[in-house]
Amino acid sequence: MRSPLFLLGSGWRTLLFSAVLAAFSATNATPAVTASPPLESGTPLLRSFRPSDYGADGQNWALAQGADGTLYVGNNRGVLHFDGQRWRLTPVANQSTVRSLAVDAKGRVYVGAVGEIGYLAPSPDGQQRYVSLMDQLPPEGRGFTDVWHTVVTGDGVVFSSPQRLLLWRDGRFSHWAPAKHFGVAQGGAQGIFVVEAGRGLLQLREGRLVALPGCEAFDQVMPTGLLSLPGGSAKEPALLIYSRDRGFVRYEQGRLTPWPTEVDAGFLAEGVQEKGLLRLADGRVVVGTQKGGVYLLDPGGRLLARWSRPEGLDDRSVAASLQDRDGGLWLALGNGLARLALTAPLSRLDARHDVDHPVSALHRHLGQVQLGTTQGAFGLLPGAQPRLLPLPQLEKQTWALLTANQSLLAAGVYGVHALDGDRSTPVLDAYNAQALLAPRQHPGWVVVGLGDGLALLHFDGQRWRDAGRVPGLKDSVRTLVEDGEGRLWAGTYNSGILRLDLSGLGRDGSLGELPFTRFGTEHGLPSLNFNLSFPVGGQPAFATSAGIYRFEATAAGGGRFAPDPRYAQLFAQPRTVYVLHEDPANGLWAYTEDPASGLKETGLIRPDGKGGHRWDARMLRPLTGQETFSIHADGDGVAWFGMGDGVFRYDGRLDKAEPQPFNTLLSRVTGAKGHVHFGGQGTPAALELPYAENALRFEYGAPSFDGEGALRYQVMLEGSDKGWSDWSAESYKDYNNLLEGRYVFRVRAKNLYDTVGGEARYAFVVQPPWYRSPWAYLGYALLLAALGWALLRWRLQRLLAQKAALEATVAERTEELRSANERLVALDQFKRGMMGMIVHDLKNPLGAILSTLDSPSLLSRLAQLKQSSRQMLTMVLNILDVQKFEDTRVVLDTHALPLAPLAAQAVEQVRFLVERKNLTL
């Protein structure tokens, strides 16, 4: 894309460049960290908030920041508050437009609306509510319309409207009415100031409005801006005043003096807003206009920057501005809100500055930044709104830029051109020239890396000429580096590394033999692909698919590639490194890609203080995920990064040495049924949660506003979690089915710069279910006691019944035993009688046997002897049976067993004996 300046003649373009560069050099001769940023910085990182983002009307009128960092916005529908993550709205009592806001030392937010004044305060559940002060105002102090200014001073809170000036102090109102109407009001340590039509600029002193000497000139024309300046006091105020007829004037020591700016005509045409003036912490002045966006001036009135719709603002009407604690500039717009990271080290040049193509080369030539893009080469034209100026005859892909012999050499698909002023001369006709190098040990020569080999250029004292090619080389050469011995190292995309001996370059322009060596995987390279060479510390460093490598030479002249141990611990797993650039002011920049996750990250390799290096990507976090094609460092802390859709500029002098502290904010705690237990304001009351509602959602944010979507959070629920969670972009956490007990929810945030904010805590108790409550356990104890008593009674009654039954059984069996004993006694007597009979019966057989043995006729008596022996045997057996019966009786007597069956058996035995007795021999 060509700038309109290209339509000027070549001589005019050269003159314009010279003038701009001279001005640029003069204004930046002694840079300082707090000085105005250079005029080539582009646009700070911009965040836009549309009405759909914050859920209210498009028109915003006022801005303020609370004690906890929360942003407050005066909107047509009420007061918006933003915790860094989500927006909420609090309407005022009469549902009118909020025109002004102010915060006192205790953090209370005061509100000026249309016919309404009051403040914000937390309700019992912590939600923000509006408290009206109208009932404290006497009737004669009412009757006002728009409260355009609310100012907190040491004397109280001032509410200023065209019809009334109200002072709220110590719970009481004082009020003043103008003869015609009041205008702009301002206040601070120097007092309270207000403009009154017909009287001029007034100061509130000891309850009276006193005209400031020399300010009667504002009697007819109302100023539209008033700003306190440093160095003043209540007795000798210092003010910056803007009016349409006078422009900017300073009021000091009772006198008015002009304060001219570079854009007074623009302010007159576009209209400075009544609340559009803001003095930044470093002394710069912000001017918001009705139709022209916002201007940034240095303390001397020099225009530093301007931002309007072309630069990304959604609306060109800026009603109010605010600098937050991080240095960011908030703008209340006619349609939305915007935040510019004004003091952050990063800014960008993109399509808003005519840079809308991938930037493959960055270079500074004679003080001017040059860009090589897919659409040609450009020079950056500095200014409040930097723009690109196309370089002549370079309208195609430009890969490399180099300053040599005061000429700018540009290499691209067109070959190589030499530019001197506005004249471009073709030097090398070749396809796709990709790299340029001027060897230190061979002045007057330039080596050109081509898509199909290496070419050489030589300067003959008047012009550059094509000196030929290196024979035998057809590789696609992408980078070139000279080592300390004057050898050339060429990096390629797909054929490893080449080393070239340049000793054949003659001082007279003659070209001798240029031997080269090819290195591949057999020499230690991890792959043949993506092996690029870059100068680091005066020697080549090699960016490969497995990290940063170095060449380790051997005494025999050979050598191998190996990972550079200085950078071996940068990452947990090796990353592909595509670009390296040494920056003397900051360190070693690198563009890397994680092959596992695909993460693309540009950052800085810094010494870790232990002899190694560490990776630091925090300052370029907005670049994460984008490809970086080129890097250039100015050497004074400023570095440039060519991206796919423009350029990022990093100013290390503005980097925050000490991270700005912030607190993590708990925005809301809601229950399972949507009930709000805590609304994020005040001290949360002790929450006892019924077990039936044992589910909570915690919402949180952090007022660190740099970087859209940059906040990360960690949470932990003491009483449930074992430790902190992983960092996550989720800004809420749900807990369900919590058991009874005491809990403390903890959350902390990490911002764009990896600064961890102070944590927020919320303690609560989940009550047990009714069946696990103390009263339930008491009931369980009483019930168990009752059941135990009932069981004991039941068991006792059973034991008593068993005892009675046993006693009856014992009595019954005792009676049976007595009866059995009586029968046994009778049997015993019978037995005794029987024994006598048996003995008597034995006597006769024995006598017969003996007489037989004594008889002479023994043989004749053998039969009788046999019969008597058998009879005697039977008698003996009967005696044994009787003895068994006796043993049975003894057992019965011992064990008290039931005797009826035994008695019957004994009777049967006796009967048997009687029958035996009746037998005869």
Side-chain angles (χ1 to χ4, degrees):
M1 179 182 296
R2 292 194 174 190
S3 166
L5 292 172
F6 188 77
L7 300 178
L8 297 173
S10 61
W12 284 105
R13 289 201 301 274
T14 303
L15 181 62
L16 179 60
F17 263 119
S18 300
V20 169
L21 291 176
F24 176 77
S25 300
T27 56
N28 291 275
T30 56
V33 172
T34 58
S36 301
L39 298 184
E40 59 186 10
S41 59
T43 301
L45 299 186
L46 172 67
R47 292 184 67 181
S48 295
F49 301 90
R50 296 175 173 83
S52 58
D53 296 325
Y54 52 76
D57 197 79
Q59 178 68 64
N60 297 290
W61 298 101
L63 297 161
Q65 189 170 25
D68 60 358
T70 300
L71 179 75
Y72 294 92
V73 182
N75 184 268
N76 278 352
R77 292 180 56 191
V79 181
L80 290 165
H81 28 110
F82 180 51
D83 64 3
Q85 198 67 53
R86 54 183 57 81
W87 295 88
R88 305 198 189 283
L89 176 68
T90 302
V92 298
N94 63 356
Q95 306 293 314
S96 65
T97 296
V98 174
R99 300 291 194 189
S100 56
L101 295 167
V103 181
D104 68 7
K106 297 181 179 179
R108 173 170 286 181
V109 180
Y110 287 90
V111 181
V114 179
E116 176 66 48
I117 55 175
Y119 61 89
L120 301 180
S123 59
D125 63 3
Q127 296 191 82
Q128 197 78 272
R129 64 188 178 94
Y130 176 78
V131 178
S132 177
L133 290 174
M134 294 298 292
D135 58 346
Q136 305 293 320
L137 188 63
E140 59 273 18
R142 303 179 186 181
F144 55 86
T145 56
D146 302 78
V147 181
W148 286 107
H149 301 274
T150 299
V151 183
V152 172
T153 72
D155 293 328
V157 182
V158 173
F159 301 94
S160 174
S161 70
Q163 298 82 20
R164 294 288 186 277
L165 184 69
L166 309 172
L167 174 63
W168 170 257
R169 180 175 56 189
D170 299 330
R172 297 180 57 191
F173 270 109
S174 301
H175 57 91
W176 296 265
K180 294 182 179 178
H181 57 269
F182 288 125
V184 63
Q186 184 58 273
Q190 302 180 32
I192 300 170
F193 305 92
V194 63
V195 175
E196 182 181 351
R199 296 183 63 188
L201 182 60
L202 312 177
Q203 183 181 20
L204 183 61
R205 293 180 185 173
E206 300 177 353
R208 297 175 54 247
L209 289 173
V210 179
L212 288 179
C215 292
E216 298 82 2
F218 300 112
D219 177 48
Q220 300 299 324
V221 179
M222 300 292 292
T224 56
L226 184 66
L227 197 61
S228 295
L229 294 176
S233 64
K235 293 184 179 180
E236 295 288 342
L239 303 172
L240 181 65
I241 307 169
Y242 179 81
S243 63
R244 290 183 62 85
D245 64 334
R246 289 174 173 261
F248 279 101
V249 295
R250 296 173 66 101
Y251 179 77
E252 294 174 297
Q253 298 179 351
R255 292 184 297 115
L256 292 172
T257 57
W259 191 69
T261 75
E262 295 180 350
V263 285
D264 283 339
F267 294 152
L268 181 62
E270 293 163 357
V272 173
Q273 292 274 28
E274 186 175 354
K275 296 186 297 178
L277 297 186
L278 173 69
R279 183 177 179 274
L280 300 179
D282 59 5
R284 291 178 291 173
V285 176
V286 175
V287 182
T289 68
Q290 296 174 354
K291 298 183 292 183
V294 64
Y295 291 79
L296 181 65
L297 308 176
D298 73 3
R302 171 174 172 253
L303 178 64
L304 299 177
R306 178 190 177 186
W307 303 290
S308 189
R309 290 187 70 96
E311 288 73 36
L313 296 186
D314 290 335
D315 191 86
R316 60 183 182 175
S317 175
V318 179
S321 56
L322 168 77
Q323 187 175 29
D324 63 27
R325 296 176 184 176
D326 292 329
L329 178 64
W330 287 88
L331 303 175
L333 306 177
N335 185 33
L337 293 158
R339 182 185 185 272
L340 292 158
L342 207 56
T343 61
L346 271 181
S347 58
R348 68 182 303 171
L349 298 161
D350 49 27
R352 296 169 291 187
H353 311 87
D354 300 328
V355 187
D356 54 357
H357 305 295
V359 178
S360 52
L362 286 164
H363 179 65
R364 190 178 285 276
H365 174 65
L366 301 180
Q368 186 187 42
V369 175
Q370 312 281 342
L371 287 72
T373 77
T374 58
Q375 300 299 313
F378 299 84
L380 180 64
L381 183 64
Q385 295 171 295
R387 290 291 183 268
L388 291 186
L389 188 71
L391 299 182
Q393 300 181 23
L394 301 178
E395 300 175 356
K396 297 181 180 179
Q397 172 76 66
T398 299
W399 289 107
L401 298 166
L402 175 69
T403 298
N405 290 88
Q406 299 301 307
S407 297
L408 176 66
L409 297 180
V413 296
Y414 42 76
V416 178
H417 283 223
L419 285 84
D420 293 287
D422 60 349
R423 181 167 54 90
S424 176
T425 304
V427 175
L428 175 66
D429 184 13
Y431 175 71
N432 215 20
Q434 303 176 132
L436 295 170
L437 174 70
R440 295 184 304 274
Q441 297 189 21
H442 301 280
W445 288 92
V446 167
V447 183
V448 183
L450 304 174
D452 57 354
L454 284 170
L456 294 140
L457 305 178
H458 184 260
F459 187 72
D460 61 9
Q462 295 182 349
R463 64 183 181 86
W464 289 96
R465 64 178 180 83
D466 182 359
R469 296 196 178 198
V470 176
L473 269 181
K474 295 297 181 181
D475 303 81
S476 178
V477 176
R478 188 62 187 89
T479 60
L480 297 168
V481 176
E482 182 185 12
D483 66 14
E485 300 177 9
R487 296 173 299 184
L488 181 73
W489 295 82
T492 74
Y493 274 146
N494 52 23
S495 56
I497 296 290
L498 302 172
R499 185 179 66 191
L500 188 70
D501 186 352
L502 297 179
S503 58
L505 299 179
R507 291 184 176 273
D508 59 355
S510 61
L511 185 63
E513 186 177 355
L514 300 173
F516 63 88
T517 305
R518 189 186 307 278
F519 298 93
T521 55
E522 67 275 14
H523 301 95
L525 290 175
S527 169
L528 288 178
N529 300 321
F530 298 109
N531 298 286
L532 303 175
S533 56
F534 298 94
V536 176
Q539 293 294 331
F542 302 95
T544 76
S545 59
I548 302 174
Y549 274 53
R550 70 180 182 182
F551 183 74
E552 298 175 348
T554 61
R560 290 182 59 82
F561 290 89
D564 193 323
R566 294 173 296 176
Y567 313 117
Q569 304 301 320
L570 291 179
F571 310 106
Q573 298 294 329
R575 290 187 182 183
T576 301
V577 180
Y578 294 104
V579 183
L580 289 172
H581 190 89
E582 192 171 29
D583 183 347
N586 293 304
L588 180 61
W589 297 103
Y591 165 56
T592 68
E593 182 176 1
D594 187 335
S597 64
L599 173 68
K600 297 178 176 65
E601 194 171 52
T602 303
L604 198 60
I605 300 173
R606 299 180 184 269
D608 61 4
K610 303 177 183 178
H613 292 77
R614 62 183 178 87
W615 177 251
D616 185 1
R618 61 172 183 83
M619 73 291 292
L620 299 183
R621 193 62 52 77
L623 279 63
T624 299
Q626 303 183 55
E627 291 186 81
T628 300
F629 298 107
S630 55
I631 303 175
H632 170 76
D634 288 338
D636 58 356
V638 174
W640 302 79
F641 301 88
M643 314 299 292
D645 58 354
V647 176
F648 279 88
R649 179 183 182 274
Y650 169 78
D651 191 344
R653 300 167 298 183
L654 299 177
D655 204 349
K656 297 178 176 66
E658 293 295 330
Q660 183 71 22
F662 65 94
N663 289 321
T664 308
L665 303 179
L666 188 60
S667 304
R668 180 170 290 187
V669 181
T670 53
K673 298 179 180 179
H675 177 69
V676 178
H677 297 295
F678 177 61
Q681 296 292 323
T683 302
L687 173 64
E688 293 190 0
L689 195 66
Y691 188 79
E693 300 177 13
N694 60 348
L696 290 175
R697 165 168 286 197
F698 297 90
E699 299 175 6
Y700 32 83
S704 182
F705 304 112
D706 281 351
E708 187 170 359
L711 291 171
R712 296 293 182 268
Y713 301 94
Q714 272 188 327
V715 299
M716 178 170 61
L717 185 63
E718 289 184 358
S720 176
D721 298 335
K722 295 182 179 180
W724 288 101
S725 67
D726 294 332
W727 291 104
S728 170
E730 292 290 345
S731 61
Y732 67 91
K733 178 66 176 179
D734 290 325
Y735 287 96
N736 299 305
N737 300 319
L738 292 171
L739 297 176
E740 65 269 21
R742 295 184 177 275
Y743 297 91
V744 178
F745 177 76
R746 301 168 61 187
V747 57
R748 60 187 182 186
K750 180 172 66 173
N751 67 6
L752 177 69
Y753 308 106
D754 288 338
T755 302
V756 178
E759 68 178 55
R761 290 170 170 253
Y762 185 80
F764 63 98
V765 176
V766 176
Q767 297 176 340
W770 66 267
Y771 50 85
R772 285 204 295 265
S773 65
W775 289 107
Y777 285 120
L778 178 61
Y780 298 151
L782 294 175
L783 180 60
L784 287 174
L787 290 174
W789 174 251
L791 181 62
L792 180 62
R793 290 293 304 271
W794 174 76
R795 183 62 178 168
L796 182 59
Q797 290 175 357
R798 285 200 62 185
L799 289 176
L800 291 175
Q802 289 176 353
K803 177 176 178 294
L806 181 60
E807 289 177 348
T809 302
V810 170
E812 180 182 353
R813 292 188 178 182
T814 301
E815 182 62 29
E816 291 176 354
L817 182 60
R818 185 169 56 250
S819 176
N821 284 338
E822 291 175 353
R823 291 195 295 274
L824 287 175
V825 170
L827 288 174
D828 184 63
Q829 293 175 353
F830 174 74
K831 181 195 74 170
R832 292 177 184 276
M834 288 294 296
M835 289 297 294
M837 291 174 60
I838 293 170
V839 172
H840 183 270
D841 289 341
L842 287 174
K843 176 182 177 183
N844 290 333
L846 288 174
I849 293 171
L850 290 175
S851 62
T852 302
L853 292 174
D854 293 337
S855 174
S857 56
L858 180 59
L859 293 174
S860 61
R861 301 294 295 257
L862 285 175
Q864 185 179 359
L865 179 60
K866 182 178 181 181
Q867 178 68 28
S868 296
S869 297
R870 290 178 176 172
Q871 188 175 4
M872 290 177 64
L873 178 59
T874 301
M875 287 296 181
V876 172
L877 292 174
N878 289 338
I879 292 173
L880 291 175
D881 290 339
V882 171
Q883 184 61 38
K884 290 181 180 179
F885 175 78
E886 182 68 19
D887 293 340
T888 302
R889 186 184 67 82
V890 172
V891 172
L892 291 173
D893 289 341
T894 303
H895 298 284
L897 295 174
L899 301 179
L902 295 177
Q905 183 179 0
V907 172
E908 184 63 25
Q909 293 264 359
V910 173
R911 186 185 61 79
F912 175 75
L913 290 175
V914 172
E915 291 179 353
R916 286 287 184 97
K917 181 180 179 300
N918 293 331
L919 294 175
T920 59
L921 291 174

